[in-house]
């Protein structure tokens, strides 16, 4: 986890997602941690944590590849890392992989697979639920039923990668 935390520090220059936390009278966002933003260093730390199977690091590593931060943009590599994170049940990995399927980034576009992934992530992530509901508005009833069947199978098998390879 320490390697992941170091990756976050170099990627964001501080404590991401905690702007309202007060530390010694200062908000976390106002504290200078003295760490320059360095995507290449962040990539190195994320890779070390991801190589140990830490899902948040896998998902962040995928995000770095998708955005081209510290490396050339590579959606196929991003999808690989999002899949690893999603397969461990990490909601943000599922959500990021769903976005890739929705938009066709590194994979053939599939609203059905995207909806299934958003549905899985929505069990513990409100943003994923919003993405699922938004996407569902543009889908046919048959597509929604197929997506739910896939989501149920993924949930029962406790795997994302396995069911995706069977599609």
């Amino acid at each position: 986890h320490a390697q992941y935390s170091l990756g976050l520090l170099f990627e964001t220059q501080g404590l991401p997602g905690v702007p309202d936390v007060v530390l010694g009278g200062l908000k976390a966002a106002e504290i200078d941690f003295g760490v320059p933003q360095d995507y290449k260093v962040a990539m190195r730390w994320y890779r070390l944590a991801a190589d140990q199977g830490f899902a948040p690091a896998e998902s962040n590593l995928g995000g770095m590849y998708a955005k081209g931060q510290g490396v050339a943009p590579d959606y196929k590599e991003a999808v690989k890392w999002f899949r690893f994170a999603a397969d461990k049940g990490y909601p943000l990995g599922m959500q990021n992989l769903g976005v890739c399927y929705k938009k066709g980034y590194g994979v053939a576009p599939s609203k059905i697979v995207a909806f299934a992934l958003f549905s899985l992530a929505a069990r513990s992530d409100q943003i994923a639920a919003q993405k699922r509901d938004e996407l569902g508005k543009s889908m046919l009833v048959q597509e929604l039923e197929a997506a739910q069947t896939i989501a149920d199978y993924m949930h029962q098998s406790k795997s994302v990668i396995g069911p995706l390879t069977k599609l």
Side-chain angles (χ1 to χ4, degrees), residues 108-165:
S110 172
K111 291 192 293 187
I112 293 171
V113 173
F115 188 91
L117 290 163
F118 291 153
S119 293
L120 279 179
R123 295 170 192 244
S124 61
D125 184 278
Q126 187 59 37
I127 293 172
Q130 292 169 351
K131 288 179 187 254
R132 177 203 57 206
D133 295 347
E134 179 185 314
L135 179 59
K137 292 176 186 175
S138 69
M139 296 173 67
L140 302 172
V141 172
Q142 298 89 337
E143 292 173 317
L144 291 169
E145 289 171 353
Q148 193 56 56
T149 299
I150 292 168
D152 291 344
Y153 181 65
M154 288 176 175
H155 180 69
Q156 291 168 358
S157 68
K158 297 186 183 338
S159 175
V160 170
I161 293 175
L164 286 178
T165 60

Side-chain angles (χ1 to χ4, degrees), residues 9-161:
L9 192 62
F10 279 98
E11 181 186 2
T12 63
Q13 294 180 282
L15 297 174
V18 289
D20 296 329
V21 171
V22 176
L23 303 170
L26 293 174
K27 290 184 178 181
E30 297 169 343
I31 296 173
D32 180 4
F33 287 89
V35 177
Q37 188 171 49
D38 189 328
Y39 293 136
K40 289 183 183 203
V41 172
M43 286 284 296
R44 185 171 56 223
W45 287 114
Y46 284 149
R47 173 69 87 156
L48 287 169
D51 286 345
Q52 296 176 36
F54 190 57
E58 292 170 337
S59 185
N60 283 20
L61 190 60
M64 301 284 285
Y65 276 107
K67 295 181 267 182
Q69 295 175 323
V71 292
D74 185 341
Y75 287 120
K76 288 187 186 278
E77 191 70 12
V79 165
K80 176 180 97 173
W81 289 105
F82 292 149
R83 278 186 177 145
F84 288 150
D87 205 49
K88 290 177 178 71
Y90 187 59
L92 189 54
M94 293 176 202
Q95 182 180 317
N96 288 335
L97 186 57
V99 169
C100 289
Y101 274 96
K102 179 182 175 188
K103 299 189 178 219
Y105 295 156
V107 292
S110 172
K111 291 192 293 187
I112 293 171
V113 173
F115 188 91
L117 290 163
F118 291 153
S119 293
L120 279 179
R123 295 170 192 244
S124 61
D125 184 278
Q126 187 59 37
I127 293 172
Q130 292 169 351
K131 288 179 187 254
R132 177 203 57 206
D133 295 347
E134 179 185 314
L135 179 59
K137 292 176 186 175
S138 69
M139 296 173 67
L140 302 172
V141 172
Q142 298 89 337
E143 292 173 317
L144 291 169
E145 289 171 353
Q148 193 56 56
T149 299
I150 292 168
D152 291 344
Y153 181 65
M154 288 176 175
H155 180 69
Q156 291 168 358
S157 68
K158 297 186 183 338
S159 175
V160 170
I161 293 175

